[in-house]
Amino acid sequence: MPRRPGLSVRLRLTLSYAGFLAVAGALLLAVVWGYLLRYVPDNPQGLLGISPNRWLLVRTFFPAAAVAMAFLLVFGLVGGWFLAGRMLAPLDRITAAARTAGSGSLSHRIRLEGRRDEFRELADAFDTMLGRLESHVAEERRFAANASHELRTPLAISQTLLDVAREDPTRDRDQLIERLQVVNRRAIDLTEALLLLSRSDRGTFAREGVDLSLVAEEAAETLLPLAERRGIALDVTGGAARVGGSAELLLLRMMTNLVQNAVVHNLPTGGTVTVHTEERDGAGVVRVENTGPVLAPELVPTLTEPFQRGTERARTDEHAGVGLGLALVHSVVRAHAGTLDLAARPAGGLLVTVTLPTDTR
């Protein structure tokens, strides 16, 4: 918002330095006047008849004192202006960096040299903030581009199916409607996942006490038919692990995504999925371990990135989801101030460990 024009900080500091120096000089002169001239007699003979009297000393001392005061004032202004400029130089660099960032360029860094003082700490904190902001903006742009691409695919398929139906009225209508329903369901699932991911990133949810063991059992019960169709044994072990968070919107979705990923990205038949919950060192821990193909070590860190599917980052079947499974899990864990650890099993498959703070209420 616009502000009224006024003196710059450098000028105010200069006037403060000069004023302080002038006041110090005046106090010094007052001390000389009070403790020196008071002992000089005020008579024509002066002290012992040979020293000058007070009137003569005052007449001689006052012009010299005035010159000294003027010199101190000028010296204070010049020196204060120089010192204020030196002191405020780091702020000029920080201001220039802020204006550069305001124009859209987040790659610029201050990198202030010198000793670690208040200005250096401010510049380092500003550089850290710019780095995180640049990373966040890049992530948001990449996410938006991927989301746009993913949403465009079902919409394009729907448009193609509608064009085919319009050009060929004799085409099987039931088959067309079924395919449109599948495509539309995928678009709805993707939109809901995006909204949930955005909500978990903002942390706008009500918190309550949640037992991870109950959430794991509910998720396993929901996905048991899928596991049975694929010939995969799904087992839930462990004990109670009470944490604080959103049960319906976040923790249940997080657990469901973990179990579904473990079932989908598994062996073609005869695979296993184990979900284990426990309390350890004041935190609730859930481990989801599954069999499956051997994962390359460099692939594991990318699994929490949005729209990365499975070992080949490609949709394998109708259960492969929308590529937001582990990305949503990571966002939920981060929103609950927890940690997510992914580790490839030597025999194949993945071990996912989620650690969440316990409910202290």
Side-chain angles (χ1 to χ4, degrees):
M1 59 181 299
R3 298 182 179 180
R4 294 181 300 177
L7 299 178
S8 65
V9 175
R10 185 176 185 181
L11 182 56
R12 291 202 299 268
L13 287 176
T14 300
L15 294 178
S16 299
Y17 295 154
F20 179 80
L21 194 58
V23 170
L27 290 176
L28 181 60
L29 293 177
V31 170
V32 173
W33 173 264
Y35 289 93
L36 179 60
L37 296 182
R38 63 182 296 183
Y39 295 107
V40 178
D42 190 14
N43 54 57
Q45 288 79 23
L47 183 62
L48 302 178
I50 57 175
S51 299
N53 58 20
R54 185 182 302 178
W55 178 84
L56 185 58
L57 285 178
V58 170
R59 185 175 181 182
T60 304
F61 179 72
F62 183 78
V67 172
M69 286 296 299
F71 174 78
L72 288 177
L73 184 60
V74 173
F75 180 78
L77 290 173
V78 175
W81 181 262
F82 176 76
L83 291 177
R86 290 288 302 273
M87 292 294 296
L88 296 177
L91 286 182
D92 293 337
R93 294 181 59 179
I94 297 175
T95 302
R99 289 174 178 170
T100 302
S103 64
S105 176
L106 299 176
S107 60
H108 178 72
R109 298 294 183 270
I110 302 172
R111 295 186 177 91
L112 192 64
E113 303 86 4
R115 296 179 300 174
R116 181 168 294 278
D117 55 9
E118 288 81 356
F119 289 117
R120 173 71 181 276
E121 292 181 357
L122 176 62
D124 291 346
F126 194 83
D127 284 343
T128 302
M129 181 192 68
L130 285 178
R132 292 180 179 177
L133 186 60
E134 182 182 18
S135 176
H136 180 72
V137 170
E139 181 181 351
E140 291 293 330
R141 289 176 178 174
R142 184 171 60 252
F143 179 81
N146 291 332
S148 299
H149 175 75
E150 294 292 327
L151 284 172
R152 182 173 55 187
T153 299
L155 294 177
I157 295 176
S158 299
Q159 182 64 43
T160 301
L161 292 175
L162 293 175
D163 291 341
V164 170
R166 182 174 55 186
E167 295 174 0
D168 186 10
T170 62
R171 192 177 184 87
D172 188 353
R173 179 173 298 180
D174 293 337
Q175 181 182 7
L176 176 64
I177 292 177
E178 183 178 357
R179 294 186 62 184
L180 283 174
Q181 285 179 339
V182 172
V183 174
N184 187 60
R185 189 184 306 114
R186 171 173 170 76
I188 292 175
D189 291 342
L190 176 59
T191 303
E192 290 180 349
L194 291 173
L195 292 175
L196 187 59
L197 184 61
S198 174
R199 183 178 179 183
S200 62
D201 284 339
R202 295 195 305 266
T204 56
F205 52 86
R207 297 178 182 269
E208 56 182 312
V210 181
D211 189 349
L212 287 179
S213 63
L214 300 180
V215 179
E217 292 177 359
E218 184 176 351
E221 183 179 355
T222 302
L223 294 170
L224 184 60
L226 174 62
E228 291 178 345
R229 287 199 303 269
R230 290 173 169 264
I232 295 174
L234 178 57
D235 189 22
V236 178
T237 63
R242 193 168 183 82
V243 300
S246 171
E248 296 297 332
L249 294 179
L250 294 179
L251 292 181
L252 180 56
R253 186 61 180 267
M254 177 197 74
M255 194 73 69
T256 302
N257 283 8
L258 285 175
V259 177
Q260 181 175 356
N261 280 353
V263 172
V264 171
H265 302 289
N266 211 308
L267 298 175
T269 182
T272 60
V273 174
T274 303
V275 183
H276 181 82
T277 59
E278 64 178 348
E279 288 189 2
R280 183 198 309 162
D281 298 329
V285 180
V286 55
R287 295 198 312 270
V288 180
E289 185 175 7
N290 70 312
T291 55
V294 178
L295 297 176
E298 63 273 11
L299 177 64
V300 174
T302 68
L303 295 178
T304 57
E305 297 180 7
F307 307 106
Q308 307 300 318
R309 300 183 181 86
T311 57
E312 298 180 358
R313 301 184 179 187
R315 189 179 298 107
T316 57
D317 57 24
E318 69 275 12
H319 297 291
V322 295
L324 290 174
L326 289 180
L328 183 56
V329 170
H330 184 230
S331 179
V332 170
V333 172
R334 183 173 53 192
H336 286 75
T339 59
L340 173 65
D341 181 67
L342 306 179
R345 300 174 69 247
L350 190 68
L351 173 60
V352 181
T353 304
V354 175
T355 305
L356 300 173
T358 56
D359 183 24
T360 57
R361 292 174 298 173

